[in-house]
Amino acid sequence: METSRDLEITVISGEGLRVGKKNVFVTVKSEFSCNVKATGVDKEGGSFPAWNEKLVVDLPMHARYVTLQVQCKAFSGVKVVGEAKVPTKDFVGGGFVPESYLRFLSYRLRDRKGEKNGIINISVRVKNSPENGAVASCSSQYSRRPWTGLPPAAGNPTNAGVVTGIPVWCSYQV
């Protein structure tokens, strides 16, 4: 059973950073992982930096979010400009499109006080997602099963209705 997968995040750009300084870069870290990846430093962008850098991070199967931090190199050290926690449900599972599809996403950055401080634009693709539903999310696991049912009762007017339902699984403690 897989315990993690590779997540390809392209950090595209930032918009409206209130710091307005140069030497801005982004760090990417998934929940429950010690592995931190970073872009190069944008020295010219100021409030509208551009990186266009592809980073591959390890995404544990049970991770709920990926943290993006925009940081600034200053004379006194590194300062966090803003942070966004990206929910993994935005690109893993859901059943609407395969996990390996490229998604373009934008998130609001918040500074340490929780105030808005710009937007970060990224693209995300799950590189080695489980394709057979063995460890996939519920919706994608069951969407691969063919729909089955009983044929309508021919010539019997008492059984001419249609019944629909949603399966519910409960785990009872006995």
Side-chain angles (χ1 to χ4, degrees), residues 5-172:
R5 53 193 147 193
D6 290 336
L7 185 66
E8 181 183 277
I9 297 180
T10 302
V11 181
I12 301 170
S13 64
E15 301 175 25
L17 302 180
R18 286 187 295 165
V19 173
K21 296 182 180 180
K22 300 176 181 177
N23 301 326
V24 182
F25 65 100
V26 177
T27 61
V28 179
K29 179 184 179 293
S30 63
E31 183 184 32
F32 306 118
S33 175
C34 297
N35 193 4
V36 178
K37 301 285 181 155
T39 65
V41 176
D42 178 282
K43 297 181 180 183
E44 302 299 323
S47 293
F48 294 87
W51 298 280
N52 289 319
E53 282 193 45
K54 191 177 294 186
L55 305 172
V56 178
V57 296
D58 181 54
L59 180 68
M61 296 300 278
H62 57 282
R64 295 171 297 182
Y65 60 86
V66 174
T67 303
L68 303 170
Q69 270 192 350
V70 177
Q71 300 180 6
C72 178
K73 284 187 179 181
F75 182 73
S76 59
V78 176
K79 176 185 172 188
V80 176
V81 175
E83 179 178 282
K85 289 194 186 274
V86 179
T88 56
K89 68 179 181 177
D90 287 359
F91 51 83
V92 174
F96 299 113
V97 294
E99 291 179 356
S100 60
Y101 273 31
L102 182 66
R103 292 168 173 83
F104 289 89
L105 306 166
S106 297
Y107 292 94
R108 168 73 62 195
L109 294 169
R110 302 263 178 193
D111 62 14
R112 294 274 185 206
K113 297 175 186 174
E115 296 181 20
K116 298 176 184 177
N117 193 5
I119 294 172
I120 189 163
N121 302 305
I122 61 171
S123 68
V124 179
R125 177 182 309 194
V126 179
K127 292 293 285 186
N128 56 349
S129 64
E131 292 297 328
N132 296 329
V135 289
S137 66
C138 288
S139 59
S140 63
Q141 179 180 2
Y142 292 106
S143 66
R144 288 180 176 77
R145 292 185 178 175
W147 287 96
T148 58
L150 299 173
N156 188 348
T158 60
N159 293 334
V162 175
V163 176
T164 60
I166 300 171
V168 176
W169 288 270
C170 298
S171 57
Y172 290 101

